Amino acid sequence: MGVTDPAGPVMDRDEVDRALARLGQEHEAIETSLLALQDHAGRRLLEGAALTGVTKDRWAVTEVSVTLLWTCFDAYTDALRSAREIRSRRRWSSREDLVALTGLLRGDSVTVAGGAAPLGTGRLSETFSLVSLVDRMNELYASSLDVVVSADAVWSALPARIDLLAAELGRTRRLAHSVGVRPGEHPAGDDLERITRTLTGLREDVISDPLAFWVPAEGSSAPGGGRPDTTVYDREARALEDVRREIDAVLTVRQDAEERLIRLRDLLSRADRTLAEARTARGEVLAKIAATEVPVVSGPPTALQEQLAAAAEYRRQARWHRLSPLLESLERKAEDELLRARESLTEVTAPLAVRAELRGRLDAYRAKVARHGLAEDPLLIERYDAARRMLWSAPCDLRVAEQAVLRYQQAAAESLGTPRVPQQGGPQDHGSESS
């Protein structure tokens, strides 16, 4: 490479071919990107929208940039075509061809008119090398795509969400009107009017100036990096939710009062049946289990029945403001009453559960003994029969029965050559050796 020109050392044929291949690939990639930008839905929307504010100003600059992008691309295309023509003249390029190709491929050989120079330079044209021209196109493309993608992201997100919220607002206003919540007569009615005005103005602003509602991502240089600003939307959505809860409270009482009263009657009926079952079970425990303190089962709460009757009368008279707090209080008390009844049944039947556990433990050890061929052992038979008589007789003394089961377990453990079963603490301690 002894020969040089202003572009540097003259390229040889292989370098030229590699450079042309690389530039050809770049050309295809740039063309694909430009066509995608041209067809981008956001760009078409920007072209047809009546823009205002920040978006109007940025789109005016972007339109110039997009036009300049195509101008630069056309210049790039022409330079690449010229280089390919020179290379295609001969299979073995002459020195003169290589000098010309070096100038085209590496030198500042491409002049672009129409403002390709950076803003503020005052130049009407700029000369580029193919590499620097690609860099310039990348800058123009990134800034243009950022505007298009950001605007499209806002348009894709906010108007649809605003429309959904407006639809919900309309439904809430109709419900509010049906229960007498109107502007000037109720604070919730005034709030609905204010939310309506705000959403209407917000949608108009988003459509005409989407970039005013775009928050760029910090530290991100990627086109379209950021998110739509939903601050106003979120505030109004929360305000509508507050109003909706207030109106729904009235509607719920009016629309669901009968269903809630039926549910309350059912809860109290289930509590009464559970208490009745507990009273029956208490009699069974007293008859079948000896030396056991069984808790007394209370009767059904008459106060709740009286309050339930009052609630039904409020509903008949359409006194919703009195019915609402009474229903809420009754629902809590009825749930508590059902829970209390279930706990009472559990406490009353606890001795029967202890007896069932001892029976299961006894049979489990008998099965284990049988598996080891010791079912006919006289001592084991004697202790098993003793324990079984106690557990299957009435009244059953649980403490004595548990000691009998324990003696059978210990005899079984000794016969099987396993460690002795630890002494049990009484009928409330039901741990046993695993069988």
Side-chain angles (χ1 to χ4, degrees):
M1 287 223 205
V3 180
T4 62
D5 73 350
V10 176
M11 302 168 68
D12 60 28
R13 185 177 66 256
D14 291 338
E15 289 176 320
V16 167
D17 289 343
R18 287 195 297 270
L20 287 173
R22 176 179 54 78
L23 292 170
Q25 293 173 350
E26 287 185 348
H27 180 272
E28 291 179 5
I30 294 170
E31 183 177 30
T32 300
S33 297
L34 291 179
L35 291 174
L37 177 61
Q38 192 73 14
D39 293 335
H40 198 288
R43 188 198 65 79
R44 293 197 297 270
L45 289 173
L46 284 165
E47 281 188 340
L51 302 175
T52 61
V54 176
T55 307
K56 180 179 180 180
D57 296 338
R58 291 190 63 184
W59 178 240
V61 175
T62 300
E63 284 188 305
V64 174
S65 297
V66 172
T67 300
L68 185 55
L69 256 174
W70 284 104
T71 301
C72 291
F73 180 71
D74 290 341
Y76 182 87
T77 301
D78 292 340
L80 183 58
R81 182 187 303 111
S82 297
R84 284 171 171 170
E85 289 174 354
I86 294 174
R87 178 64 186 89
S88 64
R89 290 173 186 171
R90 303 175 183 85
R91 181 180 180 185
W92 304 98
S93 299
S94 65
R95 187 180 300 277
E96 291 75 12
D97 289 345
L98 293 174
V99 171
L101 286 167
T102 300
L104 277 173
L105 299 177
R106 288 184 173 174
D108 294 337
S109 58
V110 185
T111 299
V112 180
L119 294 176
T121 61
R123 297 194 296 271
L124 298 179
S125 64
E126 182 80 2
T127 302
F128 299 90
S129 66
L130 288 176
V131 173
S132 61
L133 183 58
V134 169
D135 292 339
R136 179 62 176 144
M137 284 191 287
N138 285 335
E139 294 173 3
L140 293 169
Y141 176 78
S143 62
S144 301
L145 185 63
D146 182 67
V147 170
V148 170
V149 171
S150 300
D152 186 56
V154 173
W155 277 334
S156 298
L158 274 177
R161 295 175 68 181
I162 293 171
D163 289 343
L164 289 174
L165 188 60
E168 180 64 20
L169 173 63
R171 187 187 75 85
T172 304
R173 291 184 65 178
R174 289 191 295 273
L175 291 176
H177 185 80
S178 71
V179 295
V181 176
R182 297 179 176 87
E185 300 178 7
H186 194 284
D190 298 333
D191 289 340
L192 288 173
E193 285 297 301
R194 182 193 60 75
I195 295 170
T196 300
R197 292 192 301 270
T198 301
L199 286 183
T200 301
L202 177 63
R203 194 182 195 286
E204 293 173 354
D205 292 343
V206 167
I207 294 299
S208 65
D209 191 10
L211 295 182
F213 297 88
W214 183 251
V215 181
E218 294 184 7
S220 174
S221 59
R227 60 175 178 80
D229 183 359
T230 62
T231 302
V232 177
Y233 168 87
D234 293 339
R235 184 190 67 213
E236 299 308 313
R238 289 192 297 269
L240 179 58
E241 180 64 25
D242 292 340
V243 174
R244 186 167 53 230
R245 279 197 297 267
E246 186 172 348
I247 295 171
D248 284 349
V250 179
L251 285 169
T252 298
V253 173
R254 191 183 73 174
Q255 295 173 354
D256 301 338
E258 181 59 24
E259 180 182 343
R260 292 170 71 181
L261 286 170
I262 291 173
R263 187 165 58 248
L264 278 169
R265 293 188 186 100
D266 178 65
L267 282 173
L268 292 177
S269 176
R270 287 159 59 191
D272 289 347
R273 290 196 303 271
T274 303
L275 289 174
E277 184 180 352
R279 286 191 292 273
T280 301
R282 184 174 187 272
E284 180 182 356
V285 170
L286 291 174
K288 294 182 177 181
I289 306 298
T292 299
E293 293 185 3
V294 184
V296 177
V297 180
S298 64
T302 57
L304 291 184
Q305 294 294 344
E306 293 172 357
Q307 292 176 21
L308 184 61
E313 184 64 17
Y314 286 152
R315 177 185 178 277
R316 189 183 66 79
Q317 298 174 356
R319 300 175 66 181
W320 310 117
H321 65 291
R322 298 291 299 274
L323 179 59
S324 178
L326 181 55
L327 281 179
E328 292 178 1
S329 173
L330 270 172
E331 285 166 344
R332 291 193 300 270
K333 292 177 181 178
E335 292 284 355
D336 292 342
E337 178 63 19
L338 180 58
L339 178 61
R340 183 183 68 83
R342 288 171 174 170
E343 290 174 345
S344 180
L345 177 61
T346 300
E347 291 175 359
V348 165
T349 57
L352 296 177
V354 172
R355 187 183 65 174
E357 191 274 335
L358 290 174
R359 287 176 173 180
R361 193 198 309 175
L362 180 66
D363 287 343
Y365 263 85
R366 186 189 188 197
K368 183 176 181 180
V369 167
R371 288 198 303 271
H372 288 80
L374 299 174
E376 302 303 323
D377 185 287
L379 177 61
L380 294 179
I381 293 175
E382 176 189 351
R383 293 193 176 182
Y384 172 80
D385 289 342
R388 192 179 191 285
R389 280 194 304 272
M390 293 179 185
L391 287 172
W392 268 267
S393 63
C396 171
D397 189 324
L398 291 179
R399 189 174 299 276
V400 175
E402 183 170 32
Q403 291 302 317
V405 171
L406 180 59
R407 286 194 295 273
Y408 178 71
Q409 289 178 245
Q410 290 171 339
E414 291 172 358
S415 298
L416 295 171
T418 58
R420 286 177 58 82
V421 177
Q423 183 69 28
Q424 303 297 303
Q428 303 305 315
D429 183 4
H430 308 296
S432 66
E433 181 182 293
S434 172
S435 61

